[in-house]
Amino acid sequence: MALSPATWDAFARLAERNNGVFGGCWCMWFQTFYADKRLAEEDNRTQKRRLVDEGRAHAALVMEDGEAVAWCEYGTPEELPNIYHRKQYEAELDVLPDYRLTCIFVDRRHRHRGLSAVAVRGALRLIAEAGGGVVEAYPHDTGGARQAVLYNGTRRLFEAAGFEYIRPKGAKNCVMRTVVAGARAMP
């Protein structure tokens, strides 16, 4: 299900159950450059709500029994400009994607059930419905080693979703890419 004004309350309850996500971020980190950030949780919540209302914040919500239990944030490079290792990324840029997947989050009560993959597939479906295009993700490339925080998912997660490894980005992340065809209109 798409994040929208109609699904805001479900998204907000998920964030609130989880300390505003990553210590009050409300999934705003990638939407603003550091100089423009408001580091207070309530400011992030307010700013996220405004962007959702304006149609400038996108995510696929995973719903279970009417409750949001996971999400995958996506958007255009203009909507999500603040990626980690941006200077390196831009210096090595070969293709500017149409969309980025920047953050995946699963409610702590629902982890280890494959919901990250469900959220990624949901984001790709919503991108297809919006016309498709080149989609990039910047997952952690841990060589299979476990890490406590994986806000971008893992290389293996994205390989399973059909993404191709492009290059490293920073010490422990990489650039992965896929092309999503636009969904065909139903007759």
Side-chain angles (χ1 to χ4, degrees):
M1 178 172 289
L3 175 61
S4 70
T7 60
W8 170 261
D9 288 342
F11 171 79
R13 285 190 297 274
L14 171 60
E16 289 162 354
R17 281 193 312 272
N18 291 277
N19 192 30
V21 181
F22 302 121
C25 176
W26 279 79
C27 213
M28 283 297 301
W29 183 263
F30 300 103
Q31 292 195 278
T32 56
F33 290 115
Y34 191 81
D36 301 322
K37 291 203 179 304
R38 297 186 175 116
L39 301 178
E41 181 177 346
E42 190 56 36
D43 289 342
N44 286 332
R45 182 188 201 284
T46 299
Q47 190 172 16
K48 186 65 153 195
R49 176 66 195 247
R50 181 180 54 80
L51 292 174
V52 168
D53 289 345
E54 293 171 358
R56 296 179 18 204
H58 310 282
L61 300 177
V62 177
M63 304 296 288
E64 186 173 280
D65 297 326
E67 177 180 74
V69 296
W71 81 68
C72 177
E73 178 181 58
Y74 70 93
T76 66
E78 294 80 22
E79 292 169 333
L80 299 168
N82 190 37
I83 59 174
Y84 287 112
H85 313 291
R86 186 172 47 87
K87 288 181 182 179
Q88 176 195 359
Y89 172 84
E90 290 173 351
E92 298 172 355
L93 184 65
D94 59 335
V95 173
L96 187 64
D98 298 300
Y99 292 94
R100 291 177 166 157
L101 305 184
T102 55
C103 190
I104 300 167
F105 184 79
V106 178
D107 185 305
R108 69 176 65 100
R109 300 175 302 157
H110 297 275
R111 293 184 182 151
H112 310 292
R113 295 179 39 212
L115 294 179
S116 292
V118 173
V120 168
R121 286 193 307 269
L124 295 175
R125 181 183 53 77
L126 291 169
I127 288 168
E129 290 174 6
V134 176
V135 180
E136 278 187 352
Y138 315 107
H140 299 275
D141 195 0
T142 65
R146 292 187 56 84
Q147 266 188 270
V149 177
L150 294 171
Y151 59 88
N152 286 119
T154 63
R155 179 176 172 177
R156 186 167 42 180
L157 169 71
F158 284 96
E159 286 172 340
F163 282 70
E164 177 184 345
Y165 176 86
I166 303 299
R167 65 180 175 278
K169 184 172 75 72
K172 294 184 179 180
N173 292 80
C174 62
V175 176
M176 298 189 74
R177 192 177 295 148
T178 192
V179 176
V180 174
R184 294 187 182 143
M186 298 298 285

